[in-house]
Amino acid sequence: MNNNSQSSENDYIIAALSYFPFVSLFTIFTSGRNNYYIKYHSSHAILFYLFNLIFLALSIVFYWFLKDIFGFFVNAIFGLAISLQMIVGFSLALYYSTQAYQGKYIVIPAITKIFYSFFK
């Protein structure tokens, strides 16, 4: 079901492309000023990648503290965890991009709450 009947096909494409890294920064400053649908998805993409970056940084810091204590076991676990994070992050970005192209507003609980608190 299409939740955004006022948007055009170009808006859907731009919103879908905003889920690619660094494209969201461009779209929020160009098309996002006048179009709520593009602004919504671009902001969600920026916040999504920010949360991913924070989680990755925390994983690396946590790894540095534990690598000397547990050795190889920690290397294997954190290598797997970081790989899974990248695969899941890419899969979610692809899913959100598909939803944006279909004209749907996505709801990511924490990110949507932050979006509405800053852009209301």
Side-chain angles (χ1 to χ4, degrees), residues 7-8 11 14-15 21 27 29 32 42 47 50 54 56 62-64 71-73 79 84 92 100-102 106-107 119:
S7 295
S8 68
D11 294 343
I14 293 170
T27 58
F29 290 118
S42 296
L47 292 171
L50 184 67
I54 289 170
L56 182 64
F62 192 61
Y63 166 75
W64 280 346
F72 177 76
F73 181 70
L84 285 175
L92 284 174
Y101 181 72
Q102 293 175 353
I106 57 167
V107 176
F119 292 108

Side-chain angles (χ1 to χ4, degrees), residues 96-110:
Y96 298 150
S97 178
T98 305
Q99 295 297 309
Y101 181 72
Q102 293 175 353
K104 298 178 182 176
Y105 286 95
I106 57 167
V107 176
I108 309 167

Side-chain angles (χ1 to χ4, degrees), residues 106-119:
I106 57 167
V107 176
I108 309 167
I111 293 176
T112 304
K113 190 170 189 173
I114 291 170
F115 170 77
Y116 282 123
S117 65
F118 281 121
F119 292 108

Side-chain angles (χ1 to χ4, degrees), residues 9-106:
E9 184 72 23
N10 289 337
D11 294 343
Y12 296 155
I13 293 170
I14 293 170
L17 289 175
S18 70
Y19 283 97
F20 290 104
F22 303 112
V23 176
S24 55
L25 292 172
F26 177 72
T27 58
I28 200 163
F29 290 118
T30 56
S31 303
R33 290 183 181 180
N34 302 329
N35 190 321
Y36 179 78
Y37 186 74
I38 295 173
K39 179 180 172 182
Y40 181 86
H41 284 287
S42 296
S43 300
H44 271 68
I46 291 169
L47 292 171
F48 174 73
Y49 283 116
L50 184 67
F51 274 98
N52 263 345
L53 185 64
I54 289 170
F55 184 74
L56 182 64
L58 288 175
S59 298
I60 292 171
V61 167
F62 192 61
Y63 166 75
W64 280 346
F65 285 122
L66 293 179
K67 72 177 180 174
D68 295 331
I69 298 170
F70 296 107
F72 177 76
F73 181 70
V74 171
N75 287 340
I77 295 296
F78 277 98
L80 179 66
I82 290 173
S83 299
L84 285 175
Q85 177 196 358
M86 292 180 145
I87 291 170
V88 168
F90 176 75
S91 300
L92 284 174
L94 189 62
Y95 173 74
Y96 298 150
S97 178
T98 305
Q99 295 297 309
Y101 181 72
Q102 293 175 353
K104 298 178 182 176
Y105 286 95
I106 57 167

